[in-house]
């Protein structure tokens, strides 16, 4: 059901410094960049080599963003993983049957026109897992 | 220089339960499993879809393992990312010039005959980054 690992998310206090660091570490340029005001996030995607798995740098754009709370509590570092599925709504009953609890009622808009849905990490062994799909791009 | 994201490492208190959970979440079976006594680790690799990026479940096999300290401090969850390079020793000067400090003097044996080298997360924006290569498999 999972097509591939789509990206890994890294939380950054200093967005520009982190983007510069990971560009250099990966030897790649930013391919997508956005501010998602409704989620209080700023994002930049840098591919890990030519196979397309992104490292996504994320920073809060307001102190009310849940990510600001994460940074205050845990500091910079690995934040989430995103799994690409064909269709989030069709995949959801499978994950709910496993006990994974979605954080929203329906998929939300993400970077590059993708749809996204997160699970509560309490229900996914303390790993914040995001599903993404390309339904909105079809 | 980085070929691809090779795997993501997830620290688990309960190895068997975590392997079962991620097999179900990813819809894939374990492709590599090992105990690395010199590193105090037990590992299992589960592919995230057909493209070969692994999710690696890791648990300590002794209370002296550094991973036991990680779990006591941070609990289960995302632990590290591994980047595949052609040759760790040839890549190392580039990363040292960026300020990344290796945790060992030379590459060590990892899962499936790979060579591995970690950087101190203090020098990699609090993300534990591992380099892997296939030099020992050539």
């Amino acid at each position: 059901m999972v097509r591939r690992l789509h990206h890994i998310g890294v939380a950054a206090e200093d967005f520009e410094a982190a983007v510069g660091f990971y560009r250099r570490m990966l030897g790649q340029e930013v391919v997508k960049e956005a501010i998602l005001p409704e989620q209080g996030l700023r994002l930049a995607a840098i591919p890990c080599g030519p196979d397309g798995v992104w490292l996504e740098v994320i920073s809060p754009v307001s102190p009310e963003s849940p990510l600001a709370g994460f940074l205050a509590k845990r500091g910079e570092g690995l934040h989430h993983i995103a799994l690409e599925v064909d269709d989030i709504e069709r995949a959801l009953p499978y994950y709910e049957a496993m006990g994974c609890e979605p954080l929203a009622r329906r998929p939300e808009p993400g970077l590059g026109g993708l749809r996204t849905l997160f699970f509560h990490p309490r229900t996914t062994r303390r790993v914040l897992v995001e599903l993404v799909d390309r339904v909105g791009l079809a």
Side-chain angles (χ1 to χ4, degrees), chain A:
Chain A
M1 190 185 310
V2 171
R3 282 189 184 179
R4 65 185 189 110
L5 179 69
H6 185 272
H7 66 261
I8 49 175
V10 172
E13 299 268 10
D14 183 335
F15 185 80
E16 297 297 346
V19 168
F21 177 82
Y22 291 110
R23 280 175 52 215
R24 224 175 139 190
M25 167 157 276
L26 298 168
Q28 300 281 338
E29 294 303 317
V30 171
V31 291
K32 294 272 181 192
E33 192 162 2
I35 291 174
L36 302 178
E38 68 279 15
Q39 292 161 41
L41 292 180
R42 184 174 179 194
L43 310 93
I46 307 164
C48 302
D51 76 347
V53 176
W54 291 346
L55 186 148
E56 185 183 272
V57 178
I58 53 175
S59 291
V61 290
S62 87
E64 290 79 37
S65 164
L67 187 62
F70 175 94
L71 285 166
K73 190 172 167 198
R74 315 244 338 180
E76 289 198 327
L78 292 172
H79 180 262
H80 70 272
I81 61 171
L83 304 174
E84 184 179 334
V85 295
D86 289 331
D87 183 320
I88 290 171
E89 279 140 335
R90 279 195 291 156
L92 200 51
Y94 177 85
Y95 290 107
E96 288 183 313
M98 286 180 62
C100 305
E101 183 189 314
L103 281 176
R105 285 180 173 271
R106 51 181 59 85
E108 294 178 339
L111 195 55
L114 297 166
R115 298 197 310 168
T116 85
L117 188 70
F118 284 89
F119 292 113
H120 197 298
R122 192 184 53 222
T123 65
T124 51
R125 302 195 70 88
R126 302 286 167 190
V127 171
L128 182 56
V129 176
E130 176 185 15
L131 298 182
V132 304
D133 72 25
R134 298 172 180 272
V135 168
L137 298 170

